[in-house]
Amino acid sequence: MNAPNDIAPEIAEVDRIVAHARKAQAAYEATGSQALYDKAALAAGWAIMEPARNQALAELAVETTGLGNVPDKITKNHRKSLGLLRDIAEAKTYGVISDDPETGITEIARAIGVVGAVVPSTNPAATPANNIINALKGGNAIVVAPSPKGVASCEMLLSFIHAEFEKLGLDRDLVQMIPAPGSKAKTQRLMETSDRVICTGSQNNVHRAQSCGTPAVAVGAGNVIVIVDETADLSAAAAKITASKCFDNATSCSSENAVVVVDAVYDDFVAAMAAEGGALVPASDADGIIARLWPDGHLNRSAIAQDADKMLEALGMADKAPEGTKFLAVETDGIGPDHPLSGEKLSRVLALYRASDYAAAKATAARVLANQGAGHSVGIHTSDDARAIELGRELPTCRVIVNQAHTFATGGSFTNGMPFSLSMGCGSWGGNSIDTNLHWRHFVQTTKIVRETAPREPALEDVFGAYWREAGQ
C-alpha cells in the first residue's frame, strides 16, 4: 500500500469514512444487545417510512434520477421496509442463537464489521434503507456507495436516519455514505477496505465487487419472462402483468420483460391485455420501436422508466396507441444479442412471443434466459401446478413465480413466503454466490462452540450394506 502522503485525496476521504465506521461499529458491538440492534433497525425503518419523509424521498428520487414515479416510489419505500421489519422482528442476531445438547454445539451470532453497500439509481432510497436496516440488525456499521444520480436521495435518507439516531443516542458514524462526486476509484476503495461488500446494480459493479478481494454478496441481472398457458385465468393474468409491468415505470429487475403465450389462448390473452391498457404492436412495426428504444445501441433515456405518455411520445406512438394505453406489447420471435427486445428494457415495453403449445413456450423461456437473466426468475400463469414444478426442475432459474404479479412477488410479498428484499441472488446461473433473496442472514456471521459428545461412529455395514448388496464389494 502507498504511504499516506501518496494516497489521492479522494481515496484518503474514503479511508477516513471507513475508519470512523470501524470505530463506531466496535463501540456498537461492545455495548450491544438484541434490544439495541432491534431499536437501531427500527430507527432506520421509521426514517424512510414516516409518511412525510417517505414522500420527500420519493419526490427527490424521481426529480434527480428521472426514473419511476412518485406514488409507486412511496409504495415501494413503505412496503419493502415494512415487510423487511416484519421478517427480522424475531430474528436472533446477538449472543447465543442456538444451543444443541445432542451435537454439543452452541452458536453465537457475531457482527461482520463494516459493510460496504453499492446501490443503484433505480431504487435510490429503498435499496440503501434495506441494506442499512439489515446491517444494523446484525450489529454492523455500513457505508453506502450510491450511483451518481442517487446521491441526493441517499443524502436525504441518511439525514433522516441520523435524526432518529439523535433521539436514541446512537453514533451517526454507524451509517455513512461516500459523498459526491462519486467515482469508480472511491467505490473500489470502499469495497477493498470494508469487511463485506453488498452489491446491487450494473453488471460492471457486480464484477468489480466479486473481484475486489473482499467477501461479496452480489446479484445478477433480471430479464423476467412469463408463460401464459392454455389453462390460465386470462383476465387475472393480464391484470397482474399490467400492474406489475407498470409499477414504478418498470424500474424493478423483477418487472416482466417478455411474455410467451400458447397459441390456443393467444388472441384471447391479447384482448384481455388490451382491456387492461396493453396495446399490441404487431411484428411488422417492431423495427420502429427498436430503432427508437435503442437509437444508438443504448436504451433511450427519454423512454426508460417513464410514465406512459412520455414513453409513447419517445417511441413515436403517441398518436398511434389507443387512448388509455399503459404499456406496449411488441410481437417478436427474435432472441439473442441481435434482437434487443429479448433483453431487459427498463421501460413500459413488453416483448410478446407466441408458442405453439406449453412445451414450445418453455423452450422459448429457456432461450430468453440463456440470452439474459439466467438465474433470476421466471413466471407462469397456469392452473396446472405441475408445470411450475417442471420449470423449477428444468430452467436455469432460482424462482418460479406462480399466478402472481411478478414485481410484487419476487422480492417478497405479504401473500407469499419470500423474504422482502430488493436484491435477488441468481445462483451459479447468474454468477452469484447466493440463490436466495438478500436478507438479514447475509449480514451476520457465527462462532460455534464445539464440545465433545458420545461417539457416533457407524460400522461399515451400516454405511455400505445396501450398496454392497447391489454392486458387490
Side-chain angles (χ1 to χ4, degrees):
M1 183 180 293
N2 293 330
N5 291 338
D6 295 331
I7 297 177
E10 65 173 1
I11 301 303
E13 181 182 34
V14 174
D15 289 349
R16 286 193 296 272
I17 289 169
V18 172
H20 290 160
R22 203 169 294 288
K23 182 179 178 181
Q25 191 278 326
Y28 184 49
E29 187 174 14
T31 59
S33 66
Q34 192 65 68
L36 176 64
Y37 293 177
D38 291 349
K39 184 166 57 176
L42 287 169
W46 186 238
I48 188 173
M49 287 181 63
E50 190 278 319
R53 290 169 172 172
N54 187 352
Q55 181 163 343
L57 284 165
E59 291 173 349
L60 182 63
V62 174
E63 177 187 344
T64 54
T65 68
L67 305 173
N69 63 74
V70 172
D72 290 348
K73 294 270 187 219
I74 291 173
T75 298
K76 185 182 295 185
N77 291 345
H78 179 89
R79 290 179 66 85
K80 287 292 187 180
S81 302
L82 180 64
L84 172 59
L85 291 169
R86 181 207 66 178
D87 287 349
I88 68 175
E90 303 300 322
K92 295 181 179 179
T93 58
Y94 179 84
V96 174
I97 60 174
S98 68
D99 190 14
D100 187 348
E102 184 175 342
T103 63
I105 295 177
T106 300
E107 194 172 13
I108 301 172
R110 303 290 300 278
I112 289 170
V114 176
V115 174
V118 182
V119 297
S121 59
T122 48
N123 297 306
T127 299
N130 189 282
N131 287 332
I132 290 165
I133 291 168
N134 278 321
L136 293 169
K137 174 75 176 185
N140 306 292
I142 182 168
V143 180
V144 179
S147 68
K149 288 187 176 182
V151 167
S153 294
C154 199
E155 287 175 341
M156 179 179 282
L157 173 64
L158 264 60
S159 74
F160 293 156
I161 291 174
H162 291 158
E164 292 300 310
F165 278 12
E166 289 292 329
K167 300 176 184 178
L168 303 175
L170 292 171
D171 190 340
R172 61 192 295 145
D173 283 346
L174 286 170
V175 179
Q176 299 178 78
M177 64 176 282
I178 300 300
S183 70
K184 290 183 178 180
K186 285 184 178 181
T187 300
Q188 186 69 26
R189 186 67 164 192
L190 172 63
M191 292 192 296
E192 291 171 352
T193 55
S194 57
D195 297 306
R196 174 162 296 174
V197 174
I198 304 293
C199 182
T200 305
S202 70
Q203 291 309 290
N204 177 57
N205 279 344
V206 167
H207 173 74
R208 292 196 298 124
Q210 294 183 143
S211 59
C212 70
T214 300
V217 177
V219 298
N223 184 33
V224 171
I225 182 166
V226 173
I227 293 172
V228 178
D229 76 7
E230 72 280 6
T231 74
D233 180 331
L234 300 183
S235 295
K240 290 173 181 176
I241 289 169
T242 300
S244 175
K245 180 63 183 173
C246 297
F247 183 76
D248 203 21
N249 294 344
T251 56
S252 172
C253 63
S254 298
S255 177
E256 288 89 340
N257 274 283
V259 174
V260 54
V261 186
V262 300
D263 187 70
V265 295
Y266 185 87
D267 291 338
D268 289 340
F269 177 74
V270 168
M273 195 168 54
E276 295 292 337
L280 183 70
V281 178
S284 57
D285 294 334
D287 286 346
I289 297 295
I290 292 171
R292 290 177 174 86
L293 190 52
W294 290 274
D296 56 359
H298 298 89
L299 281 166
N300 182 351
R301 293 189 175 276
S302 298
I304 63 172
Q306 299 300 311
D307 292 339
D309 58 342
K310 294 181 180 177
M311 178 271 297
L312 293 171
E313 182 68 32
L315 298 183
M317 294 292 292
D319 298 325
K320 300 177 183 178
E323 185 177 351
T325 293
K326 297 177 181 177
F327 70 97
L328 300 177
V330 186
E331 288 185 318
T332 185
D333 58 9
I335 299 172
D338 295 330
H339 303 279
L341 284 172
S342 65
E344 195 170 26
K345 292 170 279 295
L346 287 174
S347 61
R348 292 175 178 241
V349 177
L350 187 73
L352 184 62
Y353 294 90
R354 187 170 191 155
S356 58
D357 54 20
Y358 165 71
K362 182 175 64 173
T364 295
R367 289 175 59 208
V368 167
L369 291 180
N371 173 53
Q372 185 182 341
H376 193 287
S377 51
V378 299
I380 184 169
H381 291 271
T382 184
S383 297
D384 185 352
D385 194 67
R387 287 181 170 175
I389 300 296
E390 185 178 299
L391 294 179
R393 292 177 64 90
E394 297 181 16
L395 294 189
T397 188
C398 293
R399 300 159 195 80
V400 178
I401 305 300
V402 184
N403 295 327
Q404 296 170 75
H406 211 283
T407 295
F408 308 138
T410 316
S413 169
F414 294 114
T415 57
N416 70 30
M418 294 297 287
F420 275 82
S421 179
L422 291 109
S423 306
M424 273 55 78
C426 300
S428 63
W429 299 294
N432 299 161
S433 61
I434 63 171
D435 60 3
T436 60
N437 290 4
L438 181 75
H439 62 89
W440 68 269
R441 194 64 184 80
H442 301 115
F443 293 77
V444 178
Q445 56 193 350
T446 61
T447 297
K448 291 84 177 170
I449 311 302
V450 185
R451 304 177 184 86
E452 191 172 43
T453 64
R456 296 184 300 133
E457 182 179 356
L460 288 179
E461 172 65 29
D462 296 333
V463 175
F464 289 104
Y467 175 76
W468 286 339
R469 287 187 288 275
E470 178 182 346
Q473 286 183 255

